Amino acid sequence: MTASRRRVLTTAAAAGAAVVGTAACASVFGSRRAGPPAADPDLPRPAGPPRRQGTVVDVRAVGATGDGVTDDAAAFARAMTQARAGDTVFVPAGTYHLVPTRPLVVPPGVLFAGEPGRSVLRMTPRATAAIEVRGADCALDGLELARAGDVETVLLRVGQVDRLTLSRLVFSGAADVYASFCHGIQLGVDGDTSTALTLTDSLFHRLTYGLYQANDSPAVTTGVEVGGCTFARNANTDLEFNSPSGSFRRVRVRGCTFRDNDSPGFAVGVAYCADVAISGCTMTNYRMEAVHVEDWSSDVAVTDNRMTACGLSEYAFVQIIQGCTRVVVRGNVFDATANTAEIAVVNALAGGRGSSAGGRPVVPPTAVTVTGNDFRCSPDVTAVAFLGVDGGSITGNRISGLALDDALDLEGATRVAVGSNAAV
């Protein structure tokens, strides 16, 4: 490995998982285009029949117009106050303009539902969040939640919850038009323990963060399932499981599509987590690494994914740093044939310096396993770098585009088994 490439890989530790405060950073897209937000017609939208349960409170029956002009916020609030646990607040097809002065609160046990692909809430909240949910057995289904003005907001803020189900939703942040931040989902706002959050078949696009928990939240979130979702063209990390004051446990991300992220963020960021599995996903066209594992996370599996053209500017496809242990990267296809920056596709190394993101005391990862992957490399990349890693293995990988002598960098690594890798 050249000295210049080694410097690139080592300084990757300074990237770190993003630091997100309660009022997190604005979009990083720079100048924005004039006109309405992009509709992104190439992205899949949820479909299917609407869900209902119990007594149905129709927002039109309590005064909502759905004409896209009248402020329907008061009518939506009335509907929520009428609903009881087991009921449905239903939003028929239409475009609803909401300018709430405080978050619209979904009561415990209530299903807030619309007609998938046809019930659109265009919101310009005069508050820190548009919609808020807490308590047990809440659900949102079949709604599009869209920011409609240049306001800093979170579309869905989640307090302490048990068994929260989010399905067939669209989160639209208009980050291509507005410089202020707009996040999709914020977890952990009450600082308590939440369990059993399920997020399926939803679209997150043109947001700042798709999902995150603020760094200063002490909340512990246990049991997160994300499946069949699409994340596209967001202005920072799509799924940010990072909470230095709290933690995430038992996280599963399966069968999702992540694409087109020209930002300092990742598809999936993992920090202060235990028992995480990222599997069966596709990740395409990321400026930075698609998967970032950091800060003493343990028992993380990155398996059976397909990643193409990630780390286009710097760092990696999968980066593992700062005291992580028992990380497995297995059965993935990494297509780096279009990469021209000098990166390692899988890059494991110690943390950075100082107090910035990724700048904790230098502690190398341990027990890192990279096995059974298909690396398709350009001549500018290294397949695997273990820089100072203590313990692990690099075995049974297929590597094309590089000679084996150029494919691996084990500088400073100890107790690492290497074998049965094949240049093809």
Side-chain angles (χ1 to χ4, degrees):
M1 171 177 285
T2 66
S4 61
R5 180 175 297 178
R6 185 173 296 117
R7 283 195 296 273
V8 168
L9 298 177
T10 302
T11 57
V19 175
V20 187
T22 303
C25 64
S27 167
V28 295
F29 283 161
S31 60
R32 284 155 184 81
R33 63 183 188 81
D40 292 330
D42 58 318
L43 301 178
R45 257 60 177 187
R51 285 181 56 196
R52 296 181 179 88
Q53 66 182 29
T55 300
V56 176
V57 181
D58 189 314
V59 296
R60 294 211 182 194
V62 293
T65 65
D67 62 8
V69 177
T70 304
D71 181 5
D72 288 326
F76 273 68
R78 284 194 294 272
M80 293 298 176
T81 61
Q82 292 184 19
R84 299 293 181 264
D87 291 347
T88 301
V89 171
F90 185 69
V91 183
T95 299
Y96 299 81
H97 179 53
L98 304 180
V99 189
T101 57
R102 59 177 58 88
L104 179 68
V105 177
V106 181
V110 167
L111 167 63
F112 184 26
E115 300 183 39
R118 302 180 65 202
S119 299
V120 180
L121 279 57
R122 290 181 51 78
M123 300 180 290
T124 312
R126 302 293 187 249
T128 55
I131 299 171
E132 193 167 90
V133 61
R134 53 174 45 85
D137 300 308
C138 290
L140 278 72
D141 177 77
L143 299 166
E144 178 169 348
L145 311 180
R147 176 172 62 158
D150 192 4
V151 294
E152 296 182 342
T153 195
V154 178
L155 296 176
L156 177 62
R157 188 165 64 186
V158 179
Q160 190 282 322
V161 293
D162 296 300
R163 299 175 301 279
L164 172 63
T165 301
L166 307 174
S167 56
R168 301 189 298 176
L169 302 172
V170 177
F171 293 84
S172 301
D176 55 324
V177 175
Y178 306 124
S180 53
F181 71 78
C182 179
H183 308 310
I185 300 173
Q186 180 184 358
L187 301 178
V189 298
D190 290 339
D192 294 318
T193 298
S194 292
T195 62
L197 166 63
T198 302
L199 170 60
T200 58
D201 304 321
S202 297
L203 169 63
F204 294 71
H205 71 129
R206 307 282 181 177
L207 299 157
T208 312
Y209 283 80
L211 176 150
Y212 81 107
Q213 181 167 301
N215 277 358
D216 57 3
S217 171
V220 176
T221 303
T222 300
V224 180
E225 299 270 350
V226 183
C229 295
T230 298
F231 300 83
R233 299 161 193 154
N234 295 315
N236 215 299
T237 298
D238 299 321
L239 289 173
E240 179 80 331
F241 301 111
N242 171 26
S243 184
S245 300
S247 69
F248 287 89
R249 303 170 186 172
R250 205 166 68 247
V251 176
R252 302 291 182 266
V253 180
R254 300 187 176 106
C256 294
T257 298
F258 301 85
R259 55 180 286 191
D260 304 334
N261 190 315
D262 184 20
S263 85
F266 324 120
V268 184
V270 176
Y272 305 96
C273 294
D275 187 9
V276 178
I278 303 164
S279 62
C281 299
T282 61
M283 303 175 181
T284 306
N285 197 25
Y286 275 71
R287 183 203 299 183
M288 309 279 280
E289 58 266 36
V291 176
H292 182 97
V293 184
E294 184 184 39
D295 284 343
W296 298 282
S297 293
S298 61
D299 301 295
V300 178
V302 182
T303 61
D304 302 314
N305 303 287
R306 186 179 187 96
M307 304 186 196
T308 303
C310 302
L312 288 172
S313 293
E314 49 194 344
Y315 304 132
F317 282 51
V318 177
Q319 179 137 290
I320 305 158
I321 70 172
Q322 192 51 35
C324 296
T325 189
R326 298 186 300 278
V327 180
V328 175
V329 181
R330 182 184 66 244
N332 303 283
V333 176
F334 298 111
D335 187 345
T337 54
N339 287 69
T340 57
E342 293 185 337
I343 67 166
V345 176
V346 176
N347 190 25
L349 70 165
R353 298 171 295 278
S355 59
S356 62
R360 271 61 79 184
V362 175
V363 179
T366 61
V368 179
T369 300
V370 179
T371 186
N373 300 285
D374 184 355
F375 291 90
R376 303 172 185 177
C377 300
S378 76
D380 297 299
V381 306
T382 298
V384 182
F386 275 21
L387 305 182
V389 171
D390 181 21
S393 61
I394 306 171
T395 60
N397 299 288
R398 292 166 49 89
I399 302 169
S400 62
L402 296 172
L404 282 181
D405 287 346
D406 297 324
L408 309 180
D409 180 9
L410 304 180
E411 182 180 351
T414 59
R415 299 189 301 147
V416 174
V418 178
S420 303
N421 300 296
V424 297

